[in-house]
Amino acid sequence: MKVIIVGGVAGGASAAARIRRLDETAQIIVFERSGYVSYANCGLPYYIGGVIEDRSLLTLQTPESFKSRFDIDVRVHHEVVAIHRKRKAVTVRSLENGTEFEESYDKLILSPGARPIRPPMPGLDAKRLFTLRTVEDTLKIRAFVEKEKPRRAVLAGGGFIGLELAENLCEMGVEVTIVQLLDQLLTPLDKDMASFVHARFRLNGVHLMLKTAVSGFEEREGCILTHVDGGEPLCAEMAVLAIGVSPDSALARESGLEIGAHGAIVVDEHMRTSDPDIYAVGDAIQVRNAVTGSSGLVSLAGPANKQGRIAADHVCGLDSAYHGAYASSVIKVFDMTAATTGINEHSAKEAGLSYEKIVLSPASHASYYPGGRAMTIKLLYEKETLRILGAQIVGFDGVDKRIDVIATAMQAGLKAPKLAQLDLAYAPPYSSAKDPVNMAGFMVENIETGKVKQFHYEDLADLYGRPGITLLDTRTVGEYDAGHAEGFINIPLDSLRERLGELDVHQPVYVMCQSGLRSYLACRILCQHGYDCYNFSGGYRLYQAIVENAFNEQANTPCGFCVGTAKSE
């Protein structure tokens, strides 16, 4: 059997190695148009910033190592320019000398990846304008930064690569401006959760220009101007176009393979295209969303690796199948971490799902052990079935392991209340006896059993000025005086029982505290005294992040203390 693989990196390289492990006699040829067949794509921004010092660490495998270990013929700087399906051959062009030749195949695997989006606008050929997708791009930017030592940089786009590069440039002392067409960064997050990311970037000196469109670039002596709609051009020594990627599906389209949503290659669960002898994997394919069942794009290394393995299995006669993507992801934002799995509110509404959400802000570990910091967890679940739809977490220590636990529970079909029953590891430096994931389950259980009712940030606009209601803040006097939401009166939780007479039992009470815990306790008191009570989801921490772009790192313990501090005033 002769297998040709078009493209390396995550999907193509993993497919090649897997085929060899399954079939020692197969002839395997990989054509890669860049100079690197297998590299750590996600590590590229960190090499530019000097966090990864040795460029060789970016290269996971070389043509030589593929040959010596796997007996795989890897040819870099070779581009497949045509597929001849009837005679099962491809035309290959050497990018070093321009010569072309044909190579036959029994099975063909396409892993062409995606290309940076370059919308039609002036100045895209400017020497001070960069994109970041390949090792070559990385080396080019690193060489420029080392030689020119730019003082300012403009990044167009607020996705993963743009934000990681922004952080690394900022850590090098470069003044960074991010221009984003949307009103938030990191679209896998909902806007309320993205507010924490906005706050962290601004705290570290990064200027954010949201809801701003880039209209073009113009090179001047020693600088590049980034033109934006409705504003003055931004002058910097370098600019990076990072507004997203699109599937590199031209080769598949030209050969007559079926193309679907967003111009991506259509594949079945075995990664086969509309031609049974041609497979496709990675960023170029249309992927089924495992939560909604809809088709879309998932440009992540984890799914690409799995798809490469599944394609290889099927080529070798095994019945492996890919059942869709949950798009679990995590990103470092200076000293903070943001992570997601499943879908967000925007996607849930688009899919027409009836959902509920909870927001909580537990500490990363036991409050009495030094160093605990708050994380904010947002969990979405379907109202009728209680299945978990997705989660978003922003915080510091332990964010990654909590998102992985929720992702695992979701994929295992666990209902949201069952998170309360998970038996998770506990020691004071790592967690609490009630892990944050358990606490999310407790909250869902309380809501679904009617022990608590809640309201959300988007409900506040309708509450302001409404007659016949009470807005109550149950934090301490000191916390309240330091800042509070409009219209909320203050009765600290520990004084609530003796001050019930100050509240009209005939009026609904909407309660807020710092993280949602003390307000929940207040609601339990009030409900049992005949009040109609609603708990604010996410607490003042979430409100403050959205309204003020501030990030409060303290979290409340069950006793109402703040992590790392003495008892509140």
Side-chain angles (χ1 to χ4, degrees):
M1 178 174 62
K2 182 177 180 181
V3 182
I4 289 180
I5 301 175
V6 180
V9 197
S14 63
R18 176 68 171 172
I19 291 171
R20 174 57 72 228
R21 292 195 297 271
L22 296 174
D23 187 346
E24 184 63 22
T25 64
Q27 181 184 359
I28 307 167
I29 305 175
V30 180
F31 293 113
E32 167 60 45
R33 65 182 162 220
S34 77
Y36 300 84
V37 65
S38 179
Y39 56 88
N41 198 302
C42 299
L44 301 182
Y46 298 100
Y47 176 70
I48 293 171
V51 178
I52 299 172
E53 298 179 355
D54 185 351
R55 66 182 269 185
S56 67
L57 296 176
L58 295 174
T59 306
L60 306 178
Q61 293 284 350
T62 64
E64 294 75 22
S65 67
F66 259 115
K67 183 64 178 176
S68 62
R69 176 160 295 183
F70 298 106
D71 191 25
I72 293 173
D73 181 5
V74 174
R75 307 181 198 179
V76 295
H77 297 132
H78 280 73
E79 182 176 16
V80 174
V81 295
I83 301 171
H84 312 288
R85 292 167 53 192
K86 287 185 178 179
R87 63 176 185 270
K88 298 180 72 169
V90 295
T91 298
V92 186
R93 178 184 299 140
S94 168
L95 300 180
E96 294 177 343
N97 57 32
T99 59
E100 292 188 359
F101 59 93
E102 277 197 12
E103 195 77 49
S104 64
Y105 65 82
D106 296 309
K107 300 292 182 182
L108 177 65
I109 299 177
L110 304 178
S111 180
R115 291 180 181 272
I117 295 174
R118 294 173 65 88
M121 60 175 64
L124 292 183
D125 58 348
K127 294 181 179 179
R128 291 178 177 269
L129 177 64
F130 303 91
T131 57
L132 180 55
R133 185 69 183 172
T134 65
V135 173
E136 286 88 347
D137 294 335
T138 306
L139 299 179
K140 187 177 178 182
I141 296 174
R142 170 91 177 237
F144 178 87
V145 170
E146 288 179 342
K147 180 182 178 182
E148 301 293 333
K149 295 181 172 49
R151 294 182 298 110
R152 299 160 297 180
V154 173
L155 275 63
F160 287 96
I161 292 293
L163 298 193
E164 289 169 343
L165 182 56
E167 176 193 339
N168 278 274
L169 290 174
C170 186
E171 296 281 17
M172 298 171 71
V174 178
E175 182 183 322
V176 177
T177 298
I178 299 175
V179 184
Q180 169 76 324
L181 178 62
L182 303 175
D183 60 357
Q184 69 167 87
L185 305 176
L186 281 183
T187 54
L189 295 174
D190 286 315
K191 187 179 177 182
D192 53 359
M193 297 295 284
S195 297
F196 293 110
V197 176
H198 300 167
R200 213 64 188 172
F201 270 101
R202 287 176 170 136
L203 180 66
N204 283 274
V206 177
H207 181 48
L208 304 183
M209 296 181 65
L210 305 177
K211 295 192 290 186
T212 304
V214 172
S215 57
F217 301 91
E218 180 183 353
E219 196 147 22
R220 297 280 181 88
E221 185 175 350
C223 79
I224 183 170
L225 296 179
T226 301
H227 293 279
V228 297
D229 289 347
E232 293 295 318
L234 307 174
C235 181
E237 285 73 38
M238 65 178 292
V240 180
L241 190 62
I243 60 176
V245 296
S246 60
D248 191 355
S249 56
L251 182 64
R253 181 184 291 105
E254 290 164 5
S255 68
L257 297 178
E258 184 181 354
I259 303 297
H262 311 288
I265 304 169
V266 175
V267 296
D268 66 12
E269 62 181 1
H270 305 299
M271 315 315 299
R272 286 181 305 191
T273 68
S274 51
D275 184 320
D277 291 318
I278 302 178
Y279 297 73
V281 300
D283 294 356
I285 69 168
Q286 177 178 289
V287 175
R288 176 181 171 272
N289 185 299
V291 179
T292 66
S294 61
S295 297
L297 305 175
V298 177
S299 298
L300 295 169
N305 270 287
K306 296 177 183 70
Q307 293 155 12
R309 180 185 177 93
I310 288 166
D313 282 358
H314 204 259
V315 163
C316 294
L318 301 181
D319 191 27
S320 293
Y322 188 71
H323 299 297
Y326 289 85
S328 301
S329 65
V330 64
I331 184 173
K332 176 180 175 292
V333 182
F334 296 95
D335 61 340
M336 195 175 78
T337 301
T340 67
T341 189
I343 62 173
N344 58 18
E345 282 197 75
H346 174 76
S347 297
K349 290 173 183 174
E350 244 184 10
L353 295 173
S354 177
Y355 68 92
E356 184 58 273
K357 61 182 175 181
I358 60 164
V359 183
L360 63 155
S361 295
S364 56
H365 61 241
S367 58
Y368 57 84
Y369 189 89
R373 302 167 83 179
M375 67 176 70
T376 296
I377 302 175
K378 182 175 185 177
L379 183 81
L380 273 63
Y381 64 94
E382 195 169 30
K383 284 184 178 180
E384 291 185 4
T385 66
L386 302 183
R387 70 175 175 130
I388 303 169
L389 299 176
Q392 304 160 48
I393 309 180
V394 180
F396 301 90
D397 298 337
V399 168
D400 53 341
K401 75 173 182 178
R402 271 62 184 230
I403 204 71
D404 284 344
V405 169
I406 296 173
T408 302
M410 179 168 57
Q411 293 173 53
L414 223 60
K415 305 297 185 184
K418 294 295 185 182
L419 295 175
Q421 299 177 17
L422 291 178
D423 191 354
L424 304 173
Y426 159 61
Y430 303 106
S431 184
S432 301
K434 295 177 182 177
D435 188 85
V437 174
N438 296 139
M439 293 171 67
F442 296 146
M443 287 182 66
V444 174
E445 185 181 82
N446 284 338
I447 290 169
E448 292 304 314
T449 56
K451 293 183 180 68
V452 67
K453 293 183 286 188
Q454 59 179 349
F455 68 109
H456 304 288
Y457 174 80
E458 58 266 28
D459 300 321
L460 284 173
D462 292 332
L463 294 177
Y464 290 142
R466 181 191 296 181
I469 66 170
T470 301
L471 303 178
L472 175 65
D473 188 320
T474 59
R475 295 177 300 155
T476 64
V477 173
E479 289 174 294
Y480 179 84
D481 288 344
H484 56 269
E486 176 189 343
F488 281 73
I489 64 170
N490 180 224
I491 301 179
L493 172 64
D494 294 342
S495 307
L496 183 58
R497 287 183 180 89
E498 55 264 34
R499 295 177 62 180
L500 285 176
E502 299 176 28
L503 302 175
D504 187 343
V505 73
H506 301 294
Q507 292 188 356
V509 184
Y510 294 83
V511 191
M512 181 184 292
C513 74
Q514 186 66 18
S515 68
L517 175 59
R518 281 175 285 175
S519 53
Y520 160 66
L521 298 175
C523 278
R524 292 305 303 145
I525 294 171
L526 291 168
C527 286
Q528 294 177 76
H529 283 82
Y531 291 83
D532 183 18
C533 193
Y534 299 81
N535 185 28
F536 182 69
S537 177
Y540 185 74
R541 289 183 69 256
L542 181 65
Y543 175 90
Q544 192 177 29
I546 297 170
V547 175
E548 302 176 15
N549 273 287
F551 193 105
N552 190 320
E553 297 177 23
Q554 294 181 332
N556 300 121
T557 73
C559 299
F561 285 69
C562 290
V563 172
T565 70
K567 187 174 181 179
S568 302
E569 298 174 35

